[in-house]
Amino acid sequence: LMTLTPLKHLAGVNGPVQRGLAAGESVFGLIDAKPERTDGVVLSERATGKLEFIDLGFTYPEQTRAALTNINLTIAPGETVALEGMSGGGKSTLVNLVPEFYPLSAGQIQLDGKPVAQIALSSLRAQMAMVSQNVVLFDDTVAANIAYGISATPDQIKQAAAMAYADEFIDLLPHGYETQIGTRGLMLSGGQRQRLA
């Protein structure tokens, strides 16, 4: 009877140990990951935004079937393009290739006539913003979420909100830009969260 309580405690240890092992595996996977390239030209000014996909092909590592093959597409500056297709058709993959989240298997992508492989990653990624379907917001103010990662003035924050058409709903919030939005933006609708992100 006296061993019953210690055995229960031992059984309770298994959960944290398994979580620790899974977390350790993630950490070691990150440590073992191949570092991103650090070469390339730093762009001195804002890109005009002409994006070209030339004979683009991509196959995920350890896969035999290509996710994308022979993609040729030109997107003009200021043009809006919607990618549609079946689930698993390569839409997200195509978008993730532009900031070089994955290395190309074939062909090339050009930004304003320059291959993105020749542009420094920090400079390339500074040229774009990307909002996925599942956005990450913090339990902080609207302004702090907009300015996350940079030091921005209140005017810059308001300008960014206006460009994303988020100022319309922000002005209606109880404390405007100083409104706390809750964990993961719980106080906002899905569309409002995406515009804020």
Side-chain angles (χ1 to χ4, degrees):
L1 287 174
M2 289 177 65
T3 61
L4 192 57
T5 302
L7 286 173
K8 284 183 181 177
H9 288 303
L10 278 176
V13 168
N14 185 43
V17 167
Q18 292 301 323
R19 284 193 296 274
L21 289 172
E25 190 174 315
S26 296
V27 168
F28 290 124
L30 184 61
I31 290 170
D32 294 339
K34 183 180 173 191
E36 291 186 315
R37 64 180 179 83
T38 56
D39 61 340
V41 177
V42 175
L43 299 176
S44 58
E45 56 189 25
R46 187 100 178 115
T48 58
K50 182 179 181 186
L51 199 58
E52 295 174 272
F53 299 86
I54 303 164
D55 296 326
L56 185 80
F58 177 73
T59 304
Y60 281 98
E62 300 176 16
Q63 296 291 318
T64 54
R65 187 170 169 231
L68 298 169
T69 55
N70 201 29
I71 303 291
N72 288 287
L73 173 67
T74 300
I75 302 172
E79 184 178 10
T80 300
V81 175
L83 301 173
E84 72 172 78
M86 62 183 183
S87 181
K91 302 178 297 292
S92 297
T93 300
L94 184 66
V95 172
N96 286 328
L97 290 173
V98 177
E100 278 198 33
F101 291 156
Y102 305 111
L104 294 177
S105 302
Q108 69 175 215
I109 300 172
Q110 293 185 354
L111 176 63
D112 293 343
K114 295 183 185 109
V116 296
Q118 295 175 7
I119 301 172
L121 283 180
S122 58
S123 188
L124 172 67
R125 292 174 182 171
Q127 298 293 323
M128 58 192 75
M130 186 170 156
V131 180
S132 66
Q133 288 178 326
N134 300 319
V135 298
V136 176
L137 294 173
F138 300 98
D139 187 8
D140 207 335
T141 64
V142 169
N145 273 280
I146 292 174
Y148 178 75
I150 59 168
S151 56
T153 66
D155 287 338
Q156 289 172 320
I157 291 170
K158 288 180 181 176
Q159 182 184 8
M163 290 171 65
Y165 301 104
D167 57 339
E168 301 166 357
F169 75 84
I170 293 171
D171 291 335
L172 299 174
L173 294 172
H175 303 290
Y177 287 84
E178 295 307 311
T179 303
Q180 294 280 333
I181 60 169
T183 306
R184 296 190 312 268
L186 197 61
M187 295 184 57
L188 304 174
S189 73
Q192 289 171 335
R193 285 195 293 268
Q194 283 189 313
R195 282 191 277 168
L196 191 58

